[in-house]
Amino acid sequence: TLTQDTSIVNTLNLLSRQLFVKGKYDTAMLCANNAKALAEKSGYKKGIGISYNNIGNINFTKGRQDEALDNYSTALKFQKEVENLPGVKKGIAASYSNIGNIYIGRGNYDEALKNYKISLQLREEIADKQDIAVSYSNIGVVNYYQGNYPEALRNYLRALTLEKEIGDNVAIARTYNNSGNIYLLQENYP
């Protein structure tokens, strides 16, 4: 049944993410591909989008940037078709952020910034403080690479405010480090 297929797709996608986090990329890819195949067979577009995003993350981590970009773009296509479903907007924001990560790695800062800003807007719409902080931090990194240190610092401090609100100590440490690098470049040693 469709409900059973949807449940299996969701479980396979969740398992794929958990295996990915543990560094078991081949098994994660197998789960994501199985989820994608079943989601395509049953017409479950949300599941297809999540599968492609998972596959993109694995390809990105393995250094296959072109494949990852294709995966993220395909994920976005399917996610946009069902964006009014619960949780899909968060996935769309993640896809834009992932695409931004590829462009920043390629040194295409304008495209990275464009995708990060779209991601930020979506994350603000769903009021996800942790992901909003990630978006501000990503935008700050682009500003840094573009040499716009005052804007980078503003975005890092926006991220820091949210990170403190939610108590994300790892992100707080990273943001203090990023901010410190800006102050160092500005010769603001204190």
Coordinates of all heavy atoms in Angstrom, one line a residue, residues 13-64:
N13 N 15.3 6.5 4.4 CA 15.9 7.8 4.4 C 16.5 8.2 5.7 O 17.7 8.7 5.8 CB 15.0 8.9 3.9 CG 14.9 9.0 2.4 OD1 15.9 8.8 1.7 ND2 13.7 9.3 1.9
L14 N 15.8 7.9 6.8 CA 16.3 8.2 8.2 C 17.6 7.3 8.4 O 18.6 7.8 8.9 CB 15.2 7.9 9.2 CG 15.6 8.1 10.6 CD1 16.0 9.6 10.9 CD2 14.5 7.7 11.6
L15 N 17.5 6.1 8.1 CA 18.6 5.2 8.2 C 19.8 5.7 7.4 O 21.0 5.6 7.9 CB 18.2 3.8 7.8 CG 19.3 2.7 8.0 CD1 19.7 2.6 9.5 CD2 18.7 1.3 7.6
S16 N 19.6 6.1 6.2 CA 20.6 6.7 5.4 C 21.4 7.8 6.0 O 22.6 7.9 6.1 CB 20.1 7.1 4.0 OG 21.1 7.7 3.2
R17 N 20.6 8.8 6.6 CA 21.2 9.9 7.3 C 22.0 9.5 8.5 O 23.1 10.0 8.8 CB 20.1 10.9 7.7 CG 19.6 11.8 6.6 CD 18.9 13.0 7.1 NE 17.7 12.7 7.9 CZ 16.5 12.4 7.4 NH1 16.3 12.3 6.1 NH2 15.5 12.1 8.2
Q18 N 21.5 8.5 9.3 CA 22.2 8.0 10.5 C 23.5 7.3 10.1 O 24.5 7.5 10.7 CB 21.3 7.1 11.3 CG 20.1 7.9 12.0 CD 19.1 6.9 12.6 OE1 19.1 5.7 12.4 NE2 18.3 7.5 13.5
L19 N 23.5 6.5 9.0 CA 24.7 5.9 8.6 C 25.7 6.9 8.0 O 26.9 6.8 8.2 CB 24.3 4.8 7.5 CG 23.6 3.6 8.0 CD1 22.9 2.8 6.8 CD2 24.5 2.7 8.8
F20 N 25.2 7.9 7.4 CA 26.0 9.0 6.8 C 26.8 9.7 7.9 O 28.0 9.9 7.9 CB 25.2 10.0 6.0 CG 25.9 11.2 5.6 CD1 26.8 11.2 4.5 CD2 25.7 12.4 6.3 CE1 27.5 12.3 4.1 CE2 26.4 13.6 5.9 CZ 27.3 13.5 4.8
V21 N 26.1 10.0 9.0 CA 26.7 10.7 10.2 C 27.8 9.8 10.8 O 28.8 10.3 11.3 CB 25.6 11.1 11.2 CG1 26.2 11.5 12.5 CG2 24.7 12.2 10.6
K22 N 27.6 8.5 10.7 CA 28.6 7.6 11.3 C 29.7 7.3 10.3 O 30.6 6.5 10.6 CB 27.9 6.3 11.7 CG 27.0 6.5 12.9 CD 26.3 5.3 13.4 CE 25.4 5.6 14.6 NZ 24.9 4.4 15.2
G23 N 29.7 7.9 9.1 CA 30.7 7.7 8.1 C 30.6 6.4 7.3 O 31.5 6.0 6.6
K24 N 29.5 5.7 7.4 CA 29.2 4.5 6.6 C 28.5 4.9 5.3 O 27.4 4.6 5.1 CB 28.4 3.5 7.5 CG 29.1 3.1 8.7 CD 28.3 2.1 9.6 CE 29.2 1.8 10.8 NZ 28.6 0.7 11.6
Y25 N 29.3 5.5 4.4 CA 28.8 6.1 3.2 C 28.2 5.1 2.2 O 27.2 5.4 1.6 CB 29.9 7.0 2.6 CG 30.4 8.0 3.5 CD1 31.8 8.2 3.7 CD2 29.6 8.9 4.2 CE1 32.3 9.1 4.6 CE2 30.1 9.8 5.1 CZ 31.5 10.0 5.2 OH 32.0 10.9 6.1
D26 N 28.9 4.0 2.0 CA 28.4 3.0 1.0 C 27.0 2.5 1.5 O 26.1 2.4 0.6 CB 29.4 1.9 0.8 CG 30.7 2.4 0.2 OD1 30.6 3.5 -0.5 OD2 31.7 1.7 0.3
T27 N 26.9 2.1 2.7 CA 25.6 1.6 3.2 C 24.6 2.7 3.2 O 23.4 2.5 2.9 CB 25.8 1.0 4.6 OG1 26.9 0.1 4.6 CG2 24.5 0.2 5.0
A28 N 25.0 3.9 3.5 CA 24.0 5.1 3.5 C 23.5 5.3 2.1 O 22.4 5.5 1.9 CB 24.7 6.3 4.0
M29 N 24.4 5.1 1.1 CA 24.1 5.3 -0.3 C 23.1 4.2 -0.7 O 22.1 4.5 -1.4 CB 25.3 5.3 -1.2 CG 25.0 5.6 -2.7 SD 24.5 7.2 -3.0 CE 26.0 8.1 -3.3
L30 N 23.3 3.0 -0.3 CA 22.4 1.9 -0.6 C 21.0 2.2 -0.1 O 20.0 2.0 -0.8 CB 23.0 0.6 0.0 CG 22.2 -0.7 -0.3 CD1 22.2 -1.0 -1.8 CD2 22.8 -1.8 0.5
C31 N 20.9 2.6 1.2 CA 19.6 2.9 1.8 C 18.9 4.1 1.0 O 17.7 4.0 0.7 CB 19.8 3.3 3.2 SG 20.2 1.9 4.3
A32 N 19.7 5.1 0.7 CA 19.1 6.3 0.0 C 18.6 5.9 -1.4 O 17.6 6.3 -1.8 CB 20.2 7.4 -0.1
N33 N 19.4 5.1 -2.1 CA 19.0 4.6 -3.5 C 17.8 3.7 -3.4 O 16.9 3.8 -4.2 CB 20.2 3.9 -4.2 CG 21.1 4.9 -4.8 OD1 20.7 5.9 -5.4 ND2 22.4 4.6 -4.7
N34 N 17.7 2.9 -2.4 CA 16.5 2.0 -2.2 C 15.3 2.9 -1.9 O 14.2 2.6 -2.4 CB 16.8 1.0 -1.1 CG 17.7 -0.2 -1.6 OD1 17.8 -0.4 -2.8 ND2 18.3 -0.8 -0.7
A35 N 15.5 3.9 -1.0 CA 14.4 4.8 -0.7 C 13.9 5.5 -1.9 O 12.7 5.6 -2.2 CB 14.8 5.8 0.4
K36 N 14.9 6.0 -2.7 CA 14.5 6.7 -4.0 C 13.7 5.8 -4.9 O 12.7 6.3 -5.5 CB 15.8 7.3 -4.6 CG 15.5 8.0 -5.9 CD 16.8 8.6 -6.5 CE 17.7 7.6 -7.1 NZ 17.3 7.0 -8.4
A37 N 14.2 4.6 -5.1 CA 13.5 3.7 -6.0 C 12.1 3.4 -5.6 O 11.2 3.5 -6.4 CB 14.3 2.4 -6.2
L38 N 11.9 3.2 -4.3 CA 10.6 2.9 -3.8 C 9.7 4.1 -3.9 O 8.5 4.0 -4.2 CB 10.6 2.3 -2.4 CG 9.3 1.9 -1.8 CD1 8.6 0.9 -2.6 CD2 9.5 1.3 -0.3
A39 N 10.3 5.3 -3.5 CA 9.5 6.5 -3.6 C 9.1 6.9 -5.0 O 8.0 7.3 -5.2 CB 10.3 7.7 -3.0
E40 N 10.0 6.6 -6.0 CA 9.6 6.9 -7.4 C 8.5 5.9 -7.8 O 7.6 6.3 -8.5 CB 10.9 6.7 -8.3 CG 11.9 7.8 -8.1 CD 13.2 7.6 -8.8 OE1 13.5 6.4 -9.2 OE2 13.9 8.6 -9.1
K41 N 8.6 4.7 -7.4 CA 7.6 3.6 -7.8 C 6.2 4.0 -7.3 O 5.2 3.8 -7.9 CB 8.1 2.3 -7.3 CG 7.1 1.1 -7.6 CD 7.6 -0.2 -7.0 CE 6.6 -1.2 -7.1 NZ 6.9 -2.4 -6.3
S42 N 6.2 4.6 -6.0 CA 4.9 4.9 -5.4 C 4.5 6.3 -5.6 O 3.4 6.7 -5.2 CB 5.0 4.6 -3.9 OG 6.0 5.3 -3.3
G43 N 5.3 7.1 -6.3 CA 5.0 8.5 -6.6 C 5.1 9.4 -5.3 O 4.4 10.5 -5.3
Y44 N 5.9 9.1 -4.4 CA 6.0 9.8 -3.1 C 7.1 10.9 -3.3 O 8.3 10.6 -3.0 CB 6.3 8.8 -2.0 CG 6.6 9.4 -0.6 CD1 5.8 10.5 -0.1 CD2 7.5 8.9 0.2 CE1 6.0 11.0 1.1 CE2 7.8 9.4 1.5 CZ 7.0 10.4 1.9 OH 7.2 10.9 3.2
K45 N 6.7 12.1 -3.8 CA 7.6 13.1 -4.1 C 8.5 13.6 -3.0 O 9.6 13.9 -3.1 CB 6.9 14.3 -4.8 CG 6.4 13.9 -6.2 CD 5.6 15.0 -6.9 CE 5.1 14.5 -8.2 NZ 4.4 15.6 -8.9
K46 N 7.8 13.8 -1.8 CA 8.6 14.2 -0.6 C 9.7 13.2 -0.4 O 10.9 13.6 -0.1 CB 7.7 14.3 0.6 CG 8.4 14.8 1.8 CD 7.4 14.9 3.0 CE 8.1 15.3 4.3 NZ 7.2 15.4 5.4
G47 N 9.5 12.0 -0.4 CA 10.5 10.9 -0.2 C 11.6 10.9 -1.3 O 12.7 10.7 -1.0
I48 N 11.2 11.2 -2.5 CA 12.1 11.3 -3.6 C 13.1 12.5 -3.3 O 14.3 12.3 -3.4 CB 11.4 11.5 -5.0 CG1 10.6 10.3 -5.3 CG2 12.5 11.8 -6.1 CD1 9.7 10.5 -6.5
G49 N 12.5 13.6 -2.9 CA 13.4 14.8 -2.6 C 14.4 14.5 -1.5 O 15.5 14.8 -1.6
I50 N 13.9 13.9 -0.4 CA 14.8 13.6 0.7 C 15.9 12.6 0.2 O 17.0 12.8 0.6 CB 14.0 13.0 1.9 CG1 13.0 14.1 2.4 CG2 14.9 12.5 3.0 CD1 12.0 13.5 3.4
S51 N 15.5 11.6 -0.6 CA 16.5 10.6 -1.0 C 17.6 11.3 -1.9 O 18.8 11.0 -1.7 CB 15.8 9.6 -1.9 OG 14.8 8.9 -1.2
Y52 N 17.2 12.2 -2.8 CA 18.2 12.9 -3.6 C 19.1 13.8 -2.7 O 20.3 13.9 -3.0 CB 17.5 13.7 -4.7 CG 17.3 12.9 -6.0 CD1 16.0 12.5 -6.4 CD2 18.4 12.6 -6.8 CE1 15.8 11.8 -7.5 CE2 18.2 11.8 -8.0 CZ 16.9 11.5 -8.3 OH 16.7 10.7 -9.5
N53 N 18.5 14.4 -1.7 CA 19.3 15.2 -0.8 C 20.3 14.4 -0.1 O 21.5 14.7 0.1 CB 18.4 16.0 0.1 CG 19.0 17.4 0.4 OD1 19.8 17.9 -0.3 ND2 18.6 17.9 1.5
N54 N 19.9 13.2 0.4 CA 20.8 12.3 1.1 C 21.9 11.8 0.1 O 23.1 11.8 0.5 CB 20.0 11.1 1.6 CG 19.2 11.4 2.8 OD1 19.4 12.4 3.5 ND2 18.2 10.5 3.1
I55 N 21.5 11.5 -1.1 CA 22.5 11.0 -2.1 C 23.5 12.2 -2.4 O 24.7 11.9 -2.5 CB 21.8 10.5 -3.4 CG1 21.0 9.2 -3.1 CG2 22.8 10.3 -4.5 CD1 20.1 8.8 -4.1
G56 N 23.0 13.4 -2.5 CA 23.8 14.5 -2.7 C 24.8 14.7 -1.5 O 26.0 15.0 -1.8
N57 N 24.4 14.6 -0.3 CA 25.3 14.7 0.8 C 26.4 13.7 0.8 O 27.6 14.0 1.1 CB 24.5 14.6 2.2 CG 23.6 15.8 2.4 OD1 23.8 16.9 1.9 ND2 22.6 15.5 3.2
I58 N 26.1 12.5 0.4 CA 27.1 11.5 0.3 C 28.1 11.8 -0.8 O 29.3 11.7 -0.6 CB 26.5 10.1 0.1 CG1 25.7 9.7 1.3 CG2 27.6 9.0 -0.1 CD1 24.7 8.6 1.1
N59 N 27.6 12.2 -2.0 CA 28.5 12.5 -3.1 C 29.3 13.7 -2.8 O 30.5 13.8 -3.1 CB 27.6 12.8 -4.4 CG 27.2 11.5 -5.0 OD1 27.9 10.5 -5.1 ND2 26.0 11.5 -5.6
F60 N 28.8 14.7 -2.1 CA 29.5 15.9 -1.7 C 30.7 15.5 -0.8 O 31.8 15.9 -1.0 CB 28.6 16.9 -1.0 CG 29.3 18.2 -0.5 CD1 29.5 19.2 -1.4 CD2 29.7 18.3 0.8 CE1 30.1 20.4 -1.0 CE2 30.3 19.5 1.2 CZ 30.5 20.5 0.3
T61 N 30.4 14.7 0.2 CA 31.4 14.2 1.1 C 32.5 13.4 0.5 O 33.7 13.5 0.8 CB 30.8 13.4 2.3 OG1 29.8 14.2 2.9 CG2 31.8 12.9 3.3
K62 N 32.1 12.7 -0.6 CA 33.1 11.9 -1.3 C 33.8 12.7 -2.4 O 34.6 12.1 -3.2 CB 32.4 10.7 -1.9 CG 32.0 9.6 -0.9 CD 31.6 8.4 -1.5 CE 31.8 7.2 -0.5 NZ 31.9 5.9 -1.2
G63 N 33.6 14.0 -2.5 CA 34.3 14.8 -3.4 C 33.7 14.9 -4.8 O 34.3 15.4 -5.7
R64 N 32.5 14.3 -5.0 CA 31.9 14.3 -6.3 C 30.9 15.5 -6.4 O 29.7 15.3 -6.3 CB 31.1 13.0 -6.5 CG 32.1 11.8 -6.5 CD 31.5 10.5 -6.9 NE 30.5 10.0 -6.0 CZ 30.6 8.9 -5.2 NH1 31.7 8.2 -5.2 NH2 29.7 8.5 -4.4

